[in-house]
């Protein structure tokens, strides 16, 4: 491990990172904590929330505090995979030119890539994005471009259905978490957002964030060290295995919900990869809480964000959105004894 300082120092830097983001974004403390967990887990993120709640400002603030470069693209129905990679234009001599796009130009310095309205793009674009996420590399101009520090954030248009292409199960499973970014509920925060002029200028808000709370290029090593040093007791391991069993066979684990047929509810998605992501994210949560061992609360705190978007239910319940899955997750916790 090549890390400048101990994990304790990195914990302090992570907390300072969160404090810097809160200079630009208020009322989103839980979303900021979950994003911090995803960064040190090295996982990509789906963002869920209405338009106008500040998702782009949040990610710009994250990028500034993290260091590295930020790129945002808009999903459109006519977007092709090449549009992610190449910039085409007519030069002054009237001839067409093809040059690397913003993604390729930033490659090894890119830390945050925001794909807004990913479900407006066609499946061919999703395929390229999945390779970028999984391998952190793409081929272009007859060479390989590496993205060693890349973290992808994607937002879905959840309101309009026309000209949208829902992410397939395999694509959703590639994302570590789905994080809700909702409008703040407390009255004082809402008052500030409406009447304090500083919240009406996103550029000025982002400039309040001190750049580079830590070196984004060191996150890979820090993330590896967290996974190696945060331990899970045998009791905790049995607890996670019981949760997994209950998700796969809720009726067999005596889980019940009044208006759901839990015996036929889950059709897939509670995979080993999903549970491995869960444990990895829980280790980072423990690290941020100042422990080098897992407790059940670490699992509970991030369970819905890590698991809900990768559990697929019978189509008869799918029209109800993620509500049945979230209720199932809570019922599984209620039915599983805590060690």
């Amino acid at each position: 491990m090549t890390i400048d300082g101990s994990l304790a120092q990195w914990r302090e830097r992570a907390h300072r990172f969160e404090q810097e983001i809160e200079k630009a974004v208020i009322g989103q403390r839980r979303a900021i904590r979950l994003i911090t967990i995803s960064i040190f887990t090295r996982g990509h993120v789906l963002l869920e929330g209405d338009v106008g709640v500040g998702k782009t400002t949040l990610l710009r603030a994250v990028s500034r505090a993290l260091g590295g470069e930020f790129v945002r693209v808009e999903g459109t129905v006519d977007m092709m995979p090449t549009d992610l990679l190449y910039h085409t234009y007519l030069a002054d001599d009237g001839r067409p030119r093809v040059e690397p796009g913003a993604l390729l130009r930033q490659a090894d310095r890119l830390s945050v890539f925001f794909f807004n309205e990913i479900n407006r793009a066609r499946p061919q674009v999703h395929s390229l994005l999945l390779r970028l996420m999984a391998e952190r590399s793409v081929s272009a101009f007859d060479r390989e471009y590496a993205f060693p520090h890349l973290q992808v954030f994607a937002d879905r248009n959840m309101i309009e259905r026309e000209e949208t292409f829902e992410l397939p199960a395999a694509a959703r499973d590639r994302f570590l978490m789905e994080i809700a970014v909702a409008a703040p509920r407390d009255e004082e925060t809402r008052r500030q957002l409406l009447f304090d002029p500083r919240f009406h200028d996103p550029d000025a808000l982002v400039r309040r964030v001190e750049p580079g709370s830590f070196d984004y290029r060191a996150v890979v090593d820090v993330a590896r060290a967290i996974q190696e040093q945060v331990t899970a007791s045998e009791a905790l391991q049995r607890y996670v295995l019981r949760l997994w069993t209950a998700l796969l066979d809720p009726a067999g684990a005596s889980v019940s919900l009044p208006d759901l047929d839990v015996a036929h509810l889950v059709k897939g998605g509670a995979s080993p990869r999903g549970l491995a992501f869960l444990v990895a994210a829980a280790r980072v949560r423990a690290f941020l809480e100042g422990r080098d061992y897992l407790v059940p609360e670490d699992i509970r705190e991030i369970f819905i964000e890590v698991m809900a978007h990768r559990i697929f239910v019978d189509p008869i319940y799918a029209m109800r959105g993620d509500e049945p899955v979230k209720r199932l997750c809570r019922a599984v916790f209620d039915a599983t004894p805590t060690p």
Side-chain angles (χ1 to χ4, degrees):
M1 181 180 72
T2 305
I3 298 176
D4 180 20
S6 67
L7 281 186
Q9 291 174 315
W10 273 93
R11 185 179 304 113
E12 293 176 3
R13 292 168 186 165
H15 290 166
R16 189 165 66 247
F17 166 78
E18 293 176 329
Q19 291 163 5
E20 289 298 326
I21 297 170
E22 288 177 354
K23 291 180 180 177
V25 181
I26 61 172
Q28 300 294 347
R29 182 162 293 179
R30 176 164 174 76
I32 293 170
R33 170 50 60 97
L34 291 169
I35 287 175
T36 305
I37 291 174
S38 73
I39 287 171
F40 285 101
T41 311
R42 300 284 291 145
H44 308 292
V45 172
L46 281 170
L47 295 176
E48 187 270 327
D50 289 336
V51 296
V53 295
K55 294 191 289 293
T56 300
T57 301
L58 171 61
L59 292 183
R60 289 179 63 197
V62 168
S63 175
R64 186 173 171 87
L66 184 59
E69 301 292 338
F70 172 83
V71 170
R72 166 179 165 153
V73 300
E74 301 290 332
T76 60
V77 69
D78 59 349
M79 173 180 270
M80 299 300 292
T82 51
D83 294 331
L84 282 180
L85 303 178
Y86 304 111
H87 170 56
T88 59
Y89 64 101
L90 286 177
D92 293 340
D93 60 4
R95 295 183 175 181
R97 294 284 193 278
V98 180
E99 294 183 353
L103 197 63
L104 297 185
R105 290 199 303 272
Q106 314 290 355
D108 59 352
R109 305 185 307 280
L110 184 61
S111 59
V112 175
F113 176 49
F114 180 28
F115 200 128
N116 193 37
E117 297 201 2
I118 186 175
N119 58 341
R120 283 216 181 276
R122 293 180 177 276
Q124 298 94 321
V125 179
H126 298 164
S127 295
L128 176 63
L129 184 67
L130 287 181
R131 178 190 167 180
L132 184 62
M133 290 165 56
E135 303 178 14
R136 288 190 165 90
S137 68
V138 293
S139 301
F141 295 103
D142 201 26
R143 55 162 286 199
E144 287 285 308
Y145 286 80
F147 299 77
H149 314 293
L150 172 71
Q151 186 164 15
V152 173
F153 294 82
D155 167 59
R156 289 183 289 170
N157 185 321
M158 303 294 285
I159 298 175
E160 296 160 326
R161 293 297 178 187
E162 292 185 1
E163 296 188 331
T164 60
F165 304 87
E166 190 50 75
L167 288 177
R172 290 169 60 180
D173 193 54
R174 300 287 181 180
F175 287 91
L176 168 69
M177 290 187 185
E178 183 167 47
I179 299 174
V181 183
R185 294 188 176 184
D186 72 278
E187 187 170 337
E188 173 55 23
T189 302
R190 288 184 168 186
R191 186 194 63 77
Q192 290 185 59
L193 290 174
L194 294 183
F195 293 102
D196 189 334
R198 68 190 172 105
F199 291 108
H200 302 167
D201 184 346
D203 292 338
L205 282 174
V206 173
R207 285 196 297 270
R208 291 166 56 87
V209 177
E210 188 71 26
S213 299
F214 48 75
D215 186 348
Y216 69 97
R217 292 165 295 191
V219 170
V220 173
D221 287 333
V222 178
R224 186 181 303 115
I226 292 169
Q227 296 303 314
E228 291 172 349
Q229 296 184 24
V230 177
T231 61
S233 67
E234 290 189 10
L236 192 284
Q237 292 178 32
R238 288 194 295 272
Y239 177 59
V240 175
L241 289 171
R242 285 197 294 269
L243 291 173
W244 188 14
T245 301
L247 277 178
L248 294 172
D249 181 15
S254 301
V255 175
S256 63
L257 290 165
D259 56 340
L260 297 176
D261 177 9
V262 295
H264 301 94
L265 176 62
V266 178
K267 293 302 179 185
S271 65
R273 178 165 58 192
L275 271 293
F277 271 141
L278 175 70
V279 174
R283 281 193 164 109
V284 176
R285 200 261 181 187
F287 155 74
L288 292 172
E289 294 294 318
R291 283 179 279 101
D292 61 0
Y293 58 90
L294 286 175
V295 297
E297 190 60 24
D298 295 322
I299 302 293
R300 178 186 289 270
E301 186 67 14
I302 46 98
F303 192 81
I304 287 179
E305 282 81 4
V306 174
M307 296 304 299
H309 70 283
R310 64 178 82 247
I311 295 175
F312 305 100
V313 299
D314 189 289
I316 196 172
Y317 299 111
M319 294 299 291
R320 293 165 60 174
D322 59 6
E323 178 260 348
V325 173
K326 290 183 176 179
R327 288 178 58 200
L328 173 67
C329 291
R330 296 187 188 100
V332 163
F333 269 110
D334 292 341
T336 306
T338 305

